[in-house]
Amino acid sequence: MRRFASKWFGLGGPAILGLLIVTPAAAQTRINPTDPQPTCQMCPGTYVPAGELEAYTRKALAEKLLDQQVRDIDIGKAHIGIGMVHRGRLEKPNPDSVAEHDQISEVYHVLSGAATLVLGPDIVNRQRRPSTMRTVREFNGPGNNGSEVRDGIAYEIKAGDVVVIPAGTGHWFTRIDDHIDYLMLRIDPDKVTPLKSEAQSQDYLSKPAQRGE
C-alpha cells in the first residue's frame, strides 16, 4: 500500500507540509504462494519534511532558480522524483516554451500563485532537447520543446489545484499573474533519472546551485 500524506504550510496559500512515500515491505510469510507479492521488496519509506521543501522555495527566490529536484526515490518498478518549482510573472509565453517528456509523467500540486497552463499532445515545431541539459539528465529525461500546442486546452490553475501530465503530453505556461509555486511528482517507470537521497539534498541546499546546462 502506498500512502501520500500531506498537511498545509504557509507560502502565501495552501501548500504541502510534508511528503511521505511508503513502499510495501515484503510479506513475512506467504500462506498462499500464488498471492501477489510486493514489487519493492523490503523497501524503506521516505519522509520529506516541510522545512526541506520550504528551503527549496527560499533557494529558488534567492538564486533565481526555476526547477529543482528534491529527491529521486526507487519504489521498485519505477522512480519517483520530487521537485519544487518556482515561476515568476509571465505576460506572454516564451518562444518554444512548450515542454514534453517522452518517458516521465508529472503531477503538479499548486502551492501558491496562479497561471494559465495549456495542455495537449499535438505539439507544433517539435525540437529535441539536448541530452546534455541538466534537466534532461537529472529531472525529467529526454523530450522535446515546441512553439505551441495545437488544439490544446487552457486551464486557469491556482493554489490547491492538481494537474496530471502524462508522458508525451505538451504543457505550456502562457501567462503567470505574479508567480506560481508547485510541488511536482515525476513518475519514471523506465528509471532514466538518477536517485537523489536526503544527504544529497542537504548537500545541494548547503551551497549555491550550479548554473548552465
Side-chain angles (χ1 to χ4, degrees), residues 71-110:
R71 302 287 177 86
D72 204 306
I73 303 161
D74 189 345
I75 62 167
K77 286 190 173 182
H79 284 180
I80 296 292
I82 302 165
M84 289 289 280
V85 183
H86 171 81
R87 295 178 181 270
R89 181 178 175 84
L90 180 69
E91 295 183 354
K92 62 180 181 179
N94 293 320
D96 300 317
S97 58
V98 178
E100 172 271 335
H101 314 302
D102 296 337
Q103 296 163 282
I104 293 178
S105 300
E106 298 177 333
V107 180
Y108 298 174
H109 182 271
V110 182

Side-chain angles (χ1 to χ4, degrees), residues 2 21 26 37 53 57-58 85 111 141 159 161 173 175 185 197:
R2 299 188 181 107
I21 295 179
Q37 300 302 308
L53 300 176
T57 299
R58 291 194 299 270
V85 183
L111 307 178
D161 290 346
F173 283 96
R175 180 186 56 81
L185 298 182
S197 66

Side-chain angles (χ1 to χ4, degrees), residues 67 87 96-102 106 108 126-137 139-146 171 186 213:
D67 190 353
R87 295 178 181 270
D96 300 317
S97 58
V98 178
E100 172 271 335
H101 314 302
D102 296 337
E106 298 177 333
Y108 298 174
R126 285 176 181 261
Q127 303 167 41
R128 199 70 177 158
R129 287 183 170 183
S131 60
T132 55
M133 290 181 65
R134 186 179 185 191
T135 54
V136 171
R137 292 184 289 107
F139 296 178
N140 44 40
N144 296 279
N145 285 104
H171 39 293
R186 293 182 167 109
E213 296 185 355

Side-chain angles (χ1 to χ4, degrees), residues 39-194:
T39 58
C40 195
Q41 291 288 338
M42 298 300 291
C43 294
T46 298
Y47 168 65
V48 184
E52 187 175 345
L53 300 176
E54 290 172 324
Y56 275 86
T57 299
R58 291 194 299 270
K59 189 176 183 71
L61 292 170
E63 300 182 27
K64 295 180 170 58
L65 304 171
L66 190 153
D67 190 353
Q68 301 176 89
Q69 189 86 318
V70 179
R71 302 287 177 86
D72 204 306
I73 303 161
D74 189 345
I75 62 167
K77 286 190 173 182
H79 284 180
I80 296 292
I82 302 165
M84 289 289 280
V85 183
H86 171 81
R87 295 178 181 270
R89 181 178 175 84
L90 180 69
E91 295 183 354
K92 62 180 181 179
N94 293 320
D96 300 317
S97 58
V98 178
E100 172 271 335
H101 314 302
D102 296 337
Q103 296 163 282
I104 293 178
S105 300
E106 298 177 333
V107 180
Y108 298 174
H109 182 271
V110 182
L111 307 178
S112 66
T116 302
L117 177 65
V118 178
L119 302 178
D122 192 355
I123 300 170
V124 178
N125 298 323
R126 285 176 181 261
Q127 303 167 41
R128 199 70 177 158
R129 287 183 170 183
S131 60
T132 55
M133 290 181 65
R134 186 179 185 191
T135 54
V136 171
R137 292 184 289 107
E138 298 183 15
F139 296 178
N140 44 40
N144 296 279
N145 285 104
S147 59
E148 61 181 301
V149 178
R150 186 181 288 113
D151 299 323
I153 300 175
Y155 296 93
E156 302 300 323
I157 63 174
K158 62 188 182 306
D161 290 346
V162 171
V163 181
V164 178
I165 305 173
T169 297
H171 39 293
W172 186 30
F173 283 96
T174 59
R175 180 186 56 81
I176 301 173
D177 294 337
D178 175 76
H179 78 283
I180 188 166
D181 290 338
Y182 52 96
L183 185 145
M184 182 191 300
L185 298 182
R186 293 182 167 109
I187 304 165
D188 177 11
D190 298 302
K191 301 185 177 183
V192 298
T193 56

